[in-house]
Amino acid sequence: MGSLHTCRSALLVTIVLTFTSMLSGCATVGGGAPAPATTSVQTLEYYPYQVKGYQNSYPRKTILILMPADARDATSDSAPLNGNPAIGVITDQSDNITERLYSPPLGPILQQAIGRSADEAGLSASSLPDVAYKPGIKNTTEYVLESKLRRCWVKKHRGANGQYGPVWRTTADVALDVSIYKPPFSVPFWTGSADETYYDPPVGSFGLGSEDEAGIYDEPGQVLSVALTRSVAAIFQRQDLRNLMLEDDIKSR
């Protein structure tokens, strides 16, 4: 009898230990480190005529757009991938990074965007690969625009589930410093900055609760493109710059 009781006790202990081990294994699998983040190269572009109100408001003067300098602060998340600069991340509900976002080189994209916006404003834009303005050198164009990219970042975050599924929110931020020169002078004709933050969906966009609002754009690169477009357009929306060029146009006649 004692032997039978001992066997049952030993069997019970074995079952308990086995079950505990299984639970421990499940906890390790379910609560371990998050999976490595994937990567994607996003399309970043300028959206012509998305920003209204400044078109053809400038004199038909020539302006040379230099290659913008990437002056963003370096962080652990901003390291490039195969020559493609980092432009953002996608995060889960716990704010873990699930995807890292990159784009083709930012300088040419931004240079082309500024040129397109200048043309919309009524100026006649051309471009050069030079980054820095060289004073004292005669130039066939009337103005030279030099710029620095201070911020260009997008974050797409998964929030709590709503009645229609996961709720995603995307925030894009672009900031530029701009100097415009009149060759051959070394002192800038005008300096300014442009800073644009865009939210998708826009905060309170449809008068619904936050859990019911849906984003307009599918890709985070599209949201960043909107911020880029608005930031670039803000350069030529500046009334002080417009007035300076209009006055300069009258003096040159």
Side-chain angles (χ1 to χ4, degrees):
M1 184 71 179
S3 177
L4 180 60
H5 177 74
T6 300
C7 290
R8 287 177 175 174
S9 297
L11 180 61
L12 180 60
V13 170
T14 300
I15 293 173
V16 170
L17 290 175
T18 302
F19 183 68
T20 302
S21 177
M22 291 173 62
L23 287 178
S24 177
C26 290
T28 301
V29 172
T38 59
T39 62
S40 69
V41 177
Q42 298 283 303
T43 298
L44 187 59
E45 58 187 327
Y46 176 78
Y47 294 146
Y49 298 98
Q50 185 183 75
V51 178
K52 309 294 184 183
Y54 71 99
Q55 281 73 24
N56 297 312
S57 61
Y58 281 71
R60 194 65 180 174
K61 294 256 188 174
T62 55
I63 184 168
L64 179 65
I65 313 299
L66 300 181
M67 183 68 69
D70 190 345
R72 299 179 298 161
D73 294 333
T75 67
S76 58
D77 287 333
S78 64
L81 177 68
N82 299 325
N84 295 318
I87 59 167
V89 293
I90 297 177
T91 58
D92 61 17
Q93 287 179 280
S94 300
D95 218 32
N96 296 313
I97 297 175
T98 60
E99 188 171 341
R100 296 186 183 276
L101 309 174
Y102 302 87
S103 83
L106 295 171
I109 294 173
L110 185 56
Q111 184 182 43
Q112 184 180 36
I114 296 173
R116 291 292 299 274
S117 187
D119 285 336
E120 286 183 36
L123 298 165
S124 178
S126 58
S127 62
L128 272 182
D130 299 352
V131 173
Y133 167 70
K134 298 179 178 65
I137 300 176
K138 290 287 186 179
N139 200 302
T140 56
T141 56
E142 293 160 284
Y143 303 104
V144 177
L145 187 148
E146 178 188 85
S147 62
K148 293 180 180 179
L149 180 63
R150 294 297 184 188
R151 288 193 302 280
C152 184
W153 196 255
V154 62
K155 179 180 179 180
K156 184 173 183 177
H157 175 70
R158 176 176 176 171
N161 290 338
Q163 60 176 324
Y164 302 113
V167 175
W168 292 90
R169 296 200 170 277
T170 307
T171 304
D173 187 22
V174 175
L176 306 169
D177 289 340
V178 176
S179 296
I180 296 178
Y181 295 87
K182 284 191 66 175
F185 303 110
S186 59
V187 177
F189 174 75
W190 179 86
T191 61
S193 60
D195 190 343
E196 184 69 32
T197 300
Y198 182 73
Y199 301 93
D200 184 45
V203 178
S205 52
F206 305 111
L208 304 173
S210 59
E211 70 280 359
D212 294 323
E213 292 183 343
I216 301 172
Y217 299 97
D218 295 327
E219 296 295 332
Q222 294 173 310
V223 182
L224 189 58
S225 293
V226 174
L228 173 71
T229 299
R230 293 186 173 194
S231 184
V232 168
I235 299 171
F236 301 102
Q237 283 182 310
R238 293 283 296 266
Q239 188 63 45
D240 56 342
L241 174 59
R242 183 185 298 115
N243 289 343
L244 273 176
M245 287 198 176
L246 288 172
E247 292 172 6
D248 197 39
D249 184 48
I250 294 173
K251 292 177 184 177
S252 64
R253 290 175 183 173

